[in-house]
Amino acid sequence: MSSYNEDFCFSNVKREKAKLLPDGWYWEKYADGSGCLNAPDGKEYMLYDLNTNEYRVTRDKSYDLFPLSHYYGDGVDPKNFNPFEYMEKEIRRTLIKTNIMDKRLEILENLKKYQEVSKSVPEDFNYDDFGFYLGIKNTKNDIPVEDLGRLMKICYRNNTNYLNPMYLAEELTRAVYIKEFLSLDDLEKIRSDDICEILQEDKLYLLREYSSNSNEYESQK
């Protein structure tokens, strides 16, 4: 077995945090080589059996074999195949992406309420832009047009499959204009990976550490 789950203890049931998915996803591994992936909402996915080389996405689906034949065909040693990494990538590719698309459709349904969007953002904006715009306007409706344009660019630069576009915009707007943790100038300088990690962990207050005036803030209690 690869180093991905080398600490698996076959004498006990083990819970292990998923490595490629957001917080809240974890593996439940059993001593007989079977187990499943648990979602933050408690649902079970990727029920697997390492002894039979099978998995199924949900309990109502049929079992599929892990694609070891693909690795044989590519000349890759099957011992290097990582079933947990494979299943997490499948969840990330299908389920999480699908949920984001559903949210985008919900945003589009509210478009009529925000007809002024065409006056404030470029004509070639995409679905994510709607989410950014709604998140910004819902958090601070009277934001200056020039600030709106800058925030839209910041949101686009930090867009990721792990964060809903509207949530991303709401949190960044709140950090600058409501909580005043940092300035828009400061926000533009933060690495995307740092922003993603902070918002995934719901620790918005950590953005104050990136403020040019961070010494003025008290530490989080």
Side-chain angles (χ1 to χ4, degrees):
M1 195 61 63
S2 70
S3 60
Y4 190 83
N5 66 334
E6 64 185 2
D7 60 344
F8 176 75
C9 180
F10 284 90
S11 62
N12 297 294
V13 176
K14 182 175 179 62
R15 288 188 175 185
E16 180 179 310
K17 180 180 178 181
K19 295 183 179 296
L20 304 179
L21 299 173
D23 286 345
W25 289 85
Y26 68 91
W27 289 101
E28 195 167 77
K29 300 178 177 180
Y30 300 96
D32 63 356
S34 65
C36 64
L37 178 64
N38 289 271
D41 61 5
K43 294 182 180 179
E44 293 182 346
Y45 295 92
M46 295 299 176
L47 295 90
Y48 67 87
D49 189 330
L50 299 180
N51 294 313
T52 59
N53 192 38
E54 295 177 302
Y55 76 99
R56 54 179 174 173
V57 179
T58 58
R59 290 192 179 277
D60 59 342
K61 301 292 184 180
S62 59
Y63 274 101
D64 289 314
L65 292 173
F66 287 116
L68 293 183
S69 59
H70 167 77
Y71 288 84
Y72 276 118
D74 284 353
V76 177
D77 189 338
K79 290 186 296 184
N80 294 330
F81 175 71
N82 189 317
F84 300 105
E85 180 179 337
Y86 171 80
M87 289 186 285
E88 288 184 27
K89 285 182 176 179
E90 285 295 289
I91 287 291
R92 190 170 65 180
R93 181 180 67 84
T94 57
L95 182 65
I96 293 179
K97 183 176 180 180
T98 299
N99 289 343
I100 290 174
M101 289 304 298
D102 289 343
K103 190 63 179 179
R104 290 177 181 176
L105 292 176
E106 179 183 335
I107 291 171
L108 288 176
E109 290 177 359
N110 294 326
L111 178 60
K112 291 182 179 179
K113 300 178 182 179
Y114 296 90
Q115 291 298 323
E116 68 271 22
V117 66
S118 61
K119 303 176 183 177
S120 305
V121 297
E123 294 181 359
D124 59 350
F125 53 77
N126 57 27
Y127 291 155
D128 283 347
D129 291 329
F130 285 118
F132 300 152
Y133 180 80
L134 299 184
I136 294 170
K137 297 291 283 186
N138 286 343
T139 306
K140 183 173 175 58
N141 188 55
D142 59 345
I143 187 171
V145 173
E146 58 271 19
D147 283 10
L148 175 62
R150 291 176 67 188
L151 264 177
M152 292 282 286
K153 290 180 180 179
I154 292 172
C155 289
Y156 189 79
R157 178 169 58 85
N158 292 285
N159 194 23
T160 170
N161 284 345
Y162 299 126
L163 295 173
N164 175 265
M166 185 182 295
Y167 172 75
L168 171 64
E170 287 174 344
E171 291 297 277
L172 295 184
T173 304
R174 190 159 65 95
V176 174
Y177 295 98
I178 307 302
K179 294 295 186 178
E180 298 184 347
F181 287 151
L182 74 175
S183 69
L184 198 55
D185 290 335
D186 295 328
L187 186 61
E188 288 177 325
K189 301 174 184 177
I190 305 177
R191 294 175 61 251
S192 295
D193 289 347
D194 291 347
I195 288 179
C196 181
E197 181 177 354
I198 288 172
L199 296 189
Q200 277 187 278
E201 296 180 357
D202 195 24
K203 296 180 179 179
L204 187 66
Y205 63 87
L206 291 180
L207 287 178
R208 69 176 61 174
E209 297 179 4
Y210 295 86
S211 171
S212 55
N213 297 317
S214 59
N215 59 316
E216 297 180 3
Y217 295 108
E218 296 181 357
S219 59
Q220 176 73 10
K221 296 181 179 180

